[in-house]
Amino acid sequence: MAEKTRILIAKPGLDGHDRGAKVVARALRDAGFEVIYTGRRQTVAEIVETAIQEDVDAVGISLLSGAHNTLMPKIVEELRKKGAKDIVVFGGGVIPPDDIPYLLSKGIAKIFTPGTKLEELIEFAKTIKQLREELRQNG
Amino acid sequence: MDKKQFLQLFEQAKEGDKLALGKALTFIENNREQSWEYLKELNYPDNCKIIGITGAPGAGKSSLIDKIVAFYSDNNNRKVAVIAVDPSSPFTGGAILGDRLRMNKHSLKDNIFIRSVASRGNLGGIASCVYDMAEFLKAVGFERIVIETVGVGQSEIDIVEIADIVLLVLTPAAGDDIQALKAGVMEIADIFVVNKSDIPGADRVKRALESVFIIEGINKPIVLTSANANQGIEELVNTIESETSIIDKNKKIFMRILHSLKEIVEDRIIEFISNKVKNVKISEPAQLYKLLDDLKNSINFSLNKEGEGDLL
């Protein structure tokens, strides 16, 4: 049997708007992925620890609070610090186009902005195993 | 992963490395037969108790586990692991694993480990790999392992074969008294928990259970809890501890090994047959009939060799 791709959908910080995260979680489920959803208002430490214990292939961060430039790179940094060098991190939310290059430079694999088609997200999710393998090889 | 790598992950996990533990569990989840070979190499301490929790969706299983785990780790200073199983979609194979939502604040504690598992098509309420995952957690040094089943209600029987003790979580206002008489889940439970005891009707559920017990000649504990209000948790944990003090350990371990083996054989047969069926094009139904005939012949052939006659 082919190994399932496991994805953590996480909402860090003081952001109560979780409709987007739930839509994404359901779309991924319907496309055959195993999605772990931990609810709102998680700390960076909780998200990182969950990703490690669940041994997910990727963490998808939903952020609509404006704190993306702080919290998203922090999650990548903490994951790498804890030895999870190959977990893919991607994000989504109301993120200004000008911030995207910065986030990508901090190790976020992909940013999805409002209006993204779910098909586009699923196409990305299908590449997660491969992206993880690349991270593993590049150390 | 070869055996050496696996045993290395085991050693790291034993030292408290949760990254290694997470990776080892993934390997067990995806490579049952191979990991079964490796698991034979490990030593299993006998101070571990496996607690199964079942009950209908929304009964409060996850919230109750949250409180039980907190009690074990904070008051009894135990190492506790949770395996929470949620259903996979039979259509897409996907799953949303949300049990963790109720207990995620424990993620950061050193002596607690939580893992979500998708049922991946298993109908008995837990994924087949859960048996082996629990054994691994035991070998790593966890003293209490809590397994939360899918919670579909009346077919949750697999848990009996792995858990040392099974809790059935009921609630007030979840159907009339007749629900308590339904066969299956009632028989597997060792402790009956009436959760949400802060809302009216909990006493009535307790009395209904007691009257069933009298008719059936059963003597099992009933504990009222409210996970929400954090009530009755100490009594529940004490009941779990006293009820598990008299378990026949050897019998349980033997049963678990047999069950694991049975699952592997079953998985193999199902995978073999379903692959055959999937390869048939629906535009050629004749192939399906031929496949059915072939299967009948081969099964009857092997049964006849045993002298047991035709099955299909």
Side-chain angles (χ1 to χ4, degrees):
Chain A
M1 253 180 273
E3 281 190 21
K4 283 272 174 198
T5 303
R6 287 162 62 90
I7 302 169
L8 170 64
I9 295 295
K11 278 198 76 66
L14 293 172
D15 173 5
H17 301 277
D18 60 354
R19 181 61 55 90
K22 285 176 178 165
V23 168
V24 163
R26 288 187 66 151
L28 290 170
R29 178 199 66 184
D30 291 344
F33 295 92
E34 290 182 0
V35 182
I36 292 138
Y37 182 61
T38 51
R40 298 172 287 181
R41 304 199 180 100
Q42 301 283 302
T43 64
V44 168
E46 281 167 347
I47 292 168
V48 167
E49 195 56 42
T50 299
I52 284 171
Q53 293 184 16
E54 298 288 350
D55 188 29
V56 290
D57 298 294
V59 182
I61 307 162
S62 161
L63 253 184
L64 296 98
S65 68
H68 47 267
N69 279 349
T70 315
L71 292 175
M72 286 185 182
K74 189 85 186 147
I75 288 173
V76 178
E77 196 185 311
E78 289 297 317
L79 277 171
R80 305 301 181 242
K81 215 185 273 176
K82 290 230 171 193
K85 303 205 185 299
D86 57 347
I87 295 182
V88 179
V89 179
F90 64 99
V94 279
I95 292 159
D98 289 354
D99 289 347
I100 293 175
Y102 170 75
L103 293 170
L104 297 180
S105 78
K106 288 289 174 184
I108 319 290
K110 177 107 180 159
I111 294 289
F112 296 98
T113 51
T116 302
K117 292 249 183 297
L118 288 170
E119 291 80 13
E120 195 186 322
L121 171 81
I122 288 157
E123 282 312 308
F124 169 79
K126 285 178 185 163
T127 66
I128 283 173
K129 283 274 184 202
Q130 190 194 333
L131 290 172
R132 194 179 188 192
E133 193 53 47
E134 284 166 21
L135 281 174
R136 200 171 291 158
Q137 276 165 13
N138 298 335
Chain B
M1 191 183 298
D2 62 28
K3 191 190 273 182
K4 202 179 147 203
Q5 288 169 309
F6 185 81
L7 294 177
Q8 195 185 343
L9 283 181
F10 169 71
E11 290 301 329
Q12 287 168 316
K14 229 175 152 180
E15 299 295 316
D17 182 345
K18 291 183 175 178
L19 187 78
L21 180 50
K23 283 187 190 304
L25 292 177
T26 304
F27 179 77
I28 294 170
E29 188 174 25
N30 292 325
N31 306 275
R32 282 207 71 203
E33 291 185 36
Q34 214 178 343
S35 60
W36 208 61
E37 290 296 316
Y38 299 170
L39 286 169
K40 284 189 210 158
E41 305 280 314
L42 308 180
N43 291 320
Y44 299 95
D46 55 10
N47 64 346
C48 176
K49 293 176 182 175
I50 299 181
I51 302 155
I53 303 209
T54 189
K61 297 183 293 296
S62 303
S63 305
L64 205 55
I65 291 174
D66 173 51
K67 295 295 187 301
I68 294 173
V69 164
F71 194 91
Y72 270 126
S73 97
D74 300 345
N75 296 41
N76 297 5
N77 200 24
R78 296 269 186 203
K79 277 188 85 175
V80 200
V82 179
I83 303 176
V85 188
D86 265 333
S88 298
S89 159
F91 302 106
T92 66
I96 290 186
L97 312 173
D99 291 326
R100 209 185 167 100
L101 195 138
R102 316 274 172 216
M103 40 185 127
N104 209 27
K105 57 180 174 292
H106 302 307
S107 292
L108 300 175
K109 293 182 184 164
D110 280 341
N111 56 356
I112 295 180
F113 187 91
I114 306 169
R115 179 69 175 230
S116 314
V117 176
S119 65
R120 297 190 182 174
N122 192 292
L123 294 176
I126 44 180
S128 50
C129 62
V130 167
Y131 305 86
D132 298 341
M133 286 176 138
E135 290 299 296
F136 187 79
L137 287 164
K138 184 193 277 187
V140 161
F142 285 92
E143 297 159 291
R144 296 291 178 272
I145 299 167
V146 184
I147 298 172
E148 176 176 350
T149 71
V150 167
V152 284
Q154 290 161 25
S155 61
E156 306 262 302
I157 46 172
D158 279 2
I159 190 70
V160 180
E161 294 181 6
I162 181 168
D164 294 311
I165 189 153
V166 176
L167 277 57
L168 175 64
V169 184
L170 303 163
T171 58
D176 57 29
D177 304 354
I178 301 302
Q179 293 294 342
L181 290 163
K182 284 192 179 162
V185 273
M186 291 293 288
E187 283 84 343
I188 65 168
D190 300 301
I191 299 175
F192 291 78
V193 184
V194 184
N195 193 32
K196 308 192 187 182
S197 65
D198 52 327
I199 62 173
D203 284 326
R204 200 175 53 83
V205 177
K206 189 180 178 199
R207 281 198 302 276
L209 280 171
E210 283 166 346
S211 56
V212 174
F213 287 2
I214 291 169
I215 298 165
E216 308 269 333
I218 302 169
N219 183 21
K220 286 177 179 175
I222 303 168
V223 183
L224 263 59
T225 60
S226 166
N228 212 5
N230 206 5
Q231 284 166 1
I233 305 303
E234 184 170 3
E235 190 195 342
L236 179 58
V237 170
N238 290 341
T239 310
I240 294 170
E241 290 302 309
S242 62
E243 291 291 311
T244 45
S245 60
I246 42 166
I247 290 164
D248 185 346
K249 280 277 167 195
N250 291 331
K251 188 181 148 217
K252 274 279 175 191
I253 290 166
F254 183 62
M255 266 180 72
R256 249 172 249 152
I257 291 169
L258 284 183
H259 191 96
S260 218
L261 191 63
K262 196 182 106 189
E263 289 275 347
I264 288 173
V265 173
E266 192 182 326
D267 283 355
R268 274 195 166 190
I269 293 173
I270 291 173
E271 202 179 333
F272 176 79
I273 294 179
S274 83
N275 280 340
K276 290 267 177 211
V277 176
K278 273 179 197 152
N279 286 336
V280 176
K281 293 196 184 78
I282 43 172
S283 55
E284 294 166 43
Q287 276 195 22
L288 267 179
Y289 289 113
K290 187 180 175 301
L291 181 64
L292 191 61
D293 276 340
D294 287 350
L295 282 172
K296 271 186 194 170
N297 288 337
S298 55
I299 290 172
N300 289 337
F301 175 72
S302 60
L303 286 178
N304 279 331
K305 269 204 300 197
E306 312 261 318
E308 288 182 20
D310 288 2
L311 181 76
L312 293 170

